[in-house]
Amino acid sequence: MNVLGVWDGHDSGAALVVDGRVVAAINEERLSRRKLEVRFPTAAIAACLDLGQLAPADVDVVAACTTDVAKALARLLPSTREAYYRVRRRQAAPGPLAALRKRAKYWLTEWGPNPVSRAVSRACLGRTLRGIGLGGARLRLYDHHGCHAMGAACASGFERALVVTLDGVGDGLSATVSLLDEHGLRRLAATPAADSPGIFFEHVTNLLNMRELEDEGKVMALAGYAAAPERNPLLPLVQARGLRFATAAPGHALHARLRRIQWAFPNEQFARMAQEALEQAAVAVVARAVHETGVGRVALAGGVASNIRINRLIRLLPEVEDVFVFPHMGDGGLALGAALAAAAEGNGRLRVDLGDLGLGPGWSDPALESRLRAAGRAFCRPPQMVAEVAERLVRGQVVLWFEGRMEYGPRALGHRSILARPDRPELRDRLNLVLKRRVWYQPFCPSLLESEAQRLFADWKGRPDRFMTMAYEVRPEARAALSGVINVDGTCRPQIVADDAAGPWAALLHEMKRLTGTGAVLNTSFNIHGEPLVCAPEEALDVFARSGADALALGPFLVERGGGG
Ligand SMILES: [Fe+2]
């Protein structure tokens, strides 16, 4: 059965599951080149079908999700979505009615689905799908949190686990706790949208004049630069109540409550208090669920599950045996979640292997070579590319690394990465200010061999995190070796690569181990900040030209700075 998953909201995208196997998954932003694209994912759908070598007529089922009132209206009036996108991304000024519109928007998202909103969604989606030749496929609509949960459940590998969604809003809910067993997923508790932990943090992000739905990670990073508060007035604003969250006011009114507190605090202190409040509530909900069910394996998804400090605290709960975080935890991962929900139907449950997440487009060596020639760049084909790159990194160079199929999800995992030595804080600063143009307090992350992670991390527990989804504490004696990729609190967010993994990525880490004694690199996403991850070789060459990096490894070809073109 060929199932095409489609997500047509924030960070829209598509995913293709063929006979229970994930064949392709890609977000529209990588093709439209608009970060966190909100338009219908027409190009992502075409790319998925292309990767699966399918025609639109071969698709049996199109799986989509979220039919609440706000989503139905956005489908009916796409221009409203575009207007919000432009304000949110600071491409348009908010206008005189901004505060009112914001309140109305959040109020609307608190409404769950009803028969009319479902019918509108089905009609709008059906019409769009017919327009791109997918009218022959059956359209299945799923619940927002069910899709978040299904992605985490199917990819976790757990037989029996708690599946927890921690989110903003979708289909009238903001968080759920479900039990996964041999029969599938069974929901135990759900938090209404009005009591959303994600909206709480979204408002904090917005009040710090950062972009909500995008810069929450910056708020978390900034929080590291403030001391723990003696008294935290944000704690009562978001709390755990059993298996649910409770906020002091509905999401649409919480912004004003937060603003009344914010004025008295410096930004980093406010960020710290918000992070602490969110941490305490989220960890308490999960701890309670583990306690009540006696199930110590936890799979997480939803936008709040991108908070690596919360994920670490959950991992370290004594009653938790193991944690898996769905690597594309935010709404951008819903296309795959929906596809898996449809593929699992009738089977009870489904297990999938996401591999190294290289689920996007890739280019053959001849195709890369012709792109290089078309761009007029001088290049060479080193006999040992891995050794060549490692040797350059050791010399302090910054190397752009383009290898195989593009990653699915928010992290660069060795297909579209910017690389440097992990033990040079001055390289980190050069990357932040010159290459990536990021804020100074946003840390970089390492990719390292599993054997190294066991040696370097003090709080090793559970399965190794392959997808950069949670923080680990670096042992004091290892901090010098990872000084360029360490947070101010002594933790880092690693990609832990199996020592015996095939391919050039693990080989590069082994070569770094041989040359420097530490099998690790600084690995940051191959883009300029604010732009989507590069997908095609042309974009890689463009970023190389604009970034000031020393070299570009494009498949088997090496391009050096100053090398023509
Ligand atoms: Fe969501």
Side-chain angles (χ1 to χ4, degrees), residues 38-218:
V38 291
R39 293 178 192 151
F40 191 84
T42 309
I45 289 171
C48 282
L49 294 180
D50 193 39
L51 286 162
Q53 296 177 310
L54 296 179
D58 299 326
V59 175
D60 300 302
V61 173
V62 172
C65 73
T66 317
T67 55
D68 58 32
V69 174
K71 197 83 195 74
L73 278 173
R75 286 180 176 130
L76 208 54
L77 304 164
S79 61
T80 57
R81 188 159 52 187
E82 181 66 19
Y84 173 66
Y85 175 85
R86 290 175 53 77
V87 171
R88 195 189 64 71
R89 295 225 77 224
R90 310 295 192 263
Q91 293 165 352
L97 295 175
L100 201 66
R101 289 170 80 138
K102 181 186 276 292
R103 209 178 153 97
K105 171 192 171 290
Y106 282 103
W107 176 75
L108 204 59
T109 59
E110 288 165 19
W111 290 47
N114 61 44
V116 175
S117 67
R118 283 197 196 98
V120 167
S121 282
R122 179 169 286 280
C124 292
L125 280 167
R127 190 181 56 209
T128 308
L129 291 168
R130 280 194 297 280
I132 52 174
L134 285 162
R138 269 173 292 144
L139 172 61
R140 310 296 285 264
L141 296 175
Y142 294 93
D143 166 66
H144 186 95
H145 286 263
C147 292
H148 276 313
M150 192 54 94
C154 294
S156 70
F158 291 140
E159 286 290 336
R160 184 175 162 78
L162 280 171
V163 182
V164 181
T165 63
L166 305 167
D167 208 15
V169 293
D171 281 334
L173 302 175
S174 63
T176 60
V177 178
S178 304
L179 186 67
L180 171 74
D181 61 17
E182 64 275 21
H183 306 297
L185 274 171
R186 183 161 53 91
R187 193 171 285 175
L188 304 178
T191 302
D195 289 283
S196 170
I199 296 299
F200 164 81
F201 214 62
E202 208 174 298
H203 287 330
V204 169
T205 306
N206 180 269
L207 283 164
L208 291 169
N209 200 23
M210 299 192 213
R211 292 174 289 206
E212 65 271 25
L213 294 172
E214 183 168 347
D215 290 339
E216 280 74 6
K218 279 190 202 165

Side-chain angles (χ1 to χ4, degrees), residues 382-401 418-424 427 449 504-522 550-553 555 558:
Q384 304 277 348
M385 178 60 102
V386 163
E388 171 79 28
V389 170
E391 187 264 329
R392 286 171 179 270
L393 295 176
V394 170
R395 289 206 321 255
Q397 289 197 0
V398 172
V399 179
L400 310 184
W401 173 269
I418 298 180
L419 308 179
R421 283 185 76 129
D423 59 348
R424 297 288 161 88
L427 269 175
L449 294 169
W505 189 232
L508 178 69
L509 297 173
H510 281 291
E511 186 65 8
M512 291 300 285
K513 170 81 178 167
R514 196 179 68 78
L515 294 174
T516 68
T518 307
V521 292
L522 179 158
D550 298 297
L552 164 65
L558 189 82

Side-chain angles (χ1 to χ4, degrees), residues 225-403:
Y225 286 86
E230 278 179 25
R231 191 186 66 84
N232 184 347
L234 299 189
L235 289 182
L237 266 59
V238 57
Q239 292 185 305
R241 197 161 291 164
L243 302 186
R244 298 176 179 82
F245 291 86
T247 53
H252 69 271
L254 204 54
H255 193 269
R257 290 283 289 265
L258 282 159
R259 201 174 46 214
R260 286 203 292 276
I261 298 171
Q262 184 206 12
W263 70 272
F265 296 94
N267 284 350
E268 65 278 13
Q269 188 72 47
F270 189 64
R272 172 73 187 237
M273 295 187 310
Q275 171 69 23
E276 196 176 276
L278 189 66
E279 276 173 9
Q280 289 192 12
V283 172
V285 165
V286 174
R288 179 66 179 261
V290 173
H291 180 75
E292 279 190 15
T293 59
V295 177
R297 297 196 165 126
V298 181
L300 298 172
V304 177
S306 65
N307 194 303
I308 59 161
R309 287 168 209 276
I310 289 175
N311 298 345
R312 170 174 182 263
L313 292 172
I314 290 171
R315 185 182 83 236
L316 295 179
L317 282 170
E319 57 271 45
V320 166
E321 288 167 48
D322 200 3
V323 175
F324 171 79
V325 184
F326 186 63
H328 204 351
M329 61 289 278
D331 283 358
L334 284 171
L336 182 52
L340 292 172
E345 219 165 285
N347 300 331
R349 56 173 306 166
L350 179 70
R351 269 166 182 259
V352 292
D353 180 4
L354 298 180
D356 65 358
L357 277 183
L359 297 170
W363 280 260
S364 66
D365 292 353
L368 292 176
E369 188 169 357
S370 75
R371 299 301 204 289
L372 282 163
R373 291 197 192 286
R377 297 296 311 217
F379 63 94
C380 64
R381 186 170 187 151
Q384 304 277 348
M385 178 60 102
V386 163
E388 171 79 28
V389 170
E391 187 264 329
R392 286 171 179 270
L393 295 176
V394 170
R395 289 206 321 255
Q397 289 197 0
V398 172
V399 179
L400 310 184
W401 173 269
F402 182 107
E403 209 285 315

